[in-house]
Amino acid sequence: QRRLLVDRASLQVDAGEVVIVVGPNGAGKTTLLRLLTGELRPVSGEILLDGGHLGKFPTWALAAKRAVMSQAARLSFPFTVAEVVRLGVDGVGRSLTAPKRRMIIDRALASADVSSLAGRYYQTLSGGEQQRTQFARALAQLEAGRSVEPRQALFLDEPVASLDLNHQLALMDAAKRQSEAGVAVIAILHDLNLAATYADRLIVMSAGRIVAQGEPVAILSRSLVSDVFGVDLPLSETPPGGAPFILPQHHAGRLRERASAAAASSTL
């Protein structure tokens, strides 16, 4: 029996915006992302990229305009971490000099905190280390593509699923920095706290449809969480009995304060 995996979804993502898609399993989040990246084609409707039909862009142009980090990436060949990251450069950075390509790879390795793993074989890494390697590859692809395409998008499908808390925050910080440089960032997350912390706009999906979208503070409510996720949980309330809880918003707040201070000092 055929069914619509994504039904009547309408959205626009602007340069420099962080859009995070949330929803229960089977809501259509990954299918939506695959449609937006061009991996799938819609049965009806259209997807535009910079005003042009997504399906009409040649592969090399798409590679320069957008990078994708999927949920899982399996490699059949024994590539090292550095070689996996280099894959992000080779397709779109052929006109770059060898030193420039090396610099891009090194910078991406550092941004994803996998420099120390550069010589390790990808298959020997933990799940979290493989995710960080794939994130580095996506960052390298964006930087290499920027030499020919200034308007870009970064797609992340559950990028923090296997990461420890430190690397979850570090990855989202790095994604946020990409948006501040003008990249449109579209990510799927299951952690509502992280989504509310980093999203400029939330897209809430259920049963293949977008049921709410907007700034987190404007749309997140107890009733929405109950309707979409089937759980009745309070929002912004202290847990009963004095139970401890951790707020990633404090980390993001300090990050913004440091960025503001750095920007202010640079203008002095």
Side-chain angles (χ1 to χ4, degrees):
Q1 182 180 357
R2 299 181 63 185
R3 67 185 183 93
L4 293 175
L5 300 179
V6 174
D7 185 15
R8 287 175 280 180
S10 178
L11 71 151
Q12 176 177 318
V13 181
D14 296 323
E17 186 179 22
V18 177
V19 173
I20 296 181
V21 186
V22 299
N25 293 337
K29 303 183 299 297
T30 294
T31 301
L32 176 65
L33 202 73
R34 293 173 70 189
L35 287 165
L36 295 176
T37 62
E39 184 180 348
L40 296 177
R41 294 195 177 190
V43 175
S44 62
E46 59 183 8
I47 301 171
L48 303 179
L49 177 62
D50 282 341
H53 288 271
L54 183 64
K56 294 184 178 180
F57 283 90
T59 302
W60 68 265
L62 272 183
K65 293 176 81 66
R66 60 98 178 96
V68 183
M69 177 183 171
S70 302
Q71 285 187 41
R74 297 178 178 85
L75 295 178
S76 301
F77 301 99
F79 289 145
T80 66
V81 168
E83 288 170 336
V84 172
V85 176
R86 194 183 70 195
L87 293 175
V89 178
D90 286 347
V92 293
R94 295 176 182 174
S95 63
L96 300 173
T97 64
K100 177 65 174 177
R101 291 198 298 270
R102 183 70 250 176
M103 183 186 71
I104 290 174
I105 293 169
D106 289 344
R107 191 146 49 198
L109 289 166
S111 293
D113 193 23
V114 288
S115 297
S116 63
L117 306 175
R120 289 267 304 275
Y121 285 109
Y122 182 82
Q123 286 85 351
T124 69
L125 303 180
S126 70
E129 290 169 337
Q130 289 184 355
Q131 274 194 296
R132 284 153 48 202
T133 299
Q134 291 297 335
F135 183 60
R137 175 199 51 76
L139 293 180
Q141 181 181 335
L142 284 178
E143 186 167 356
R146 205 166 292 138
S147 61
V148 295
E149 179 52 63
R151 290 171 58 84
Q152 296 178 305
L154 173 62
F155 293 91
L156 306 170
D157 192 355
E158 298 188 32
V160 302
S162 299
L163 302 185
D164 57 46
L165 182 58
N166 176 45
H167 287 109
Q168 287 182 24
L169 296 172
L171 186 147
M172 294 306 300
D173 288 347
K176 187 68 174 178
R177 286 193 295 272
Q178 289 292 316
S179 76
E180 291 166 352
V183 176
V185 178
I186 305 94
I188 294 173
L189 293 181
H190 278 293
D191 188 319
L192 290 181
N193 273 321
L194 279 180
T197 299
Y198 286 95
D200 296 315
R201 180 157 50 101
L202 275 183
I203 304 288
V204 184
M205 294 192 69
S206 179
R209 294 188 178 185
I210 295 175
V211 297
Q213 63 175 304
E215 294 183 25
V217 69
I219 68 168
L220 273 183
S221 66
R222 185 168 185 166
S223 61
L224 179 67
V225 172
S226 177
D227 291 342
V228 172
F229 294 94
V231 291
D232 183 22
L233 295 175
L235 270 68
S236 305
E237 293 183 18
T238 304
F245 59 100
I246 298 173
L247 297 175
Q249 290 87 344
H250 286 286
H251 167 82
R254 288 195 295 270
L255 189 73
R256 285 191 292 270
E257 289 172 3
R258 289 197 296 268
S260 297
S265 64
S266 67
T267 61
L268 296 178

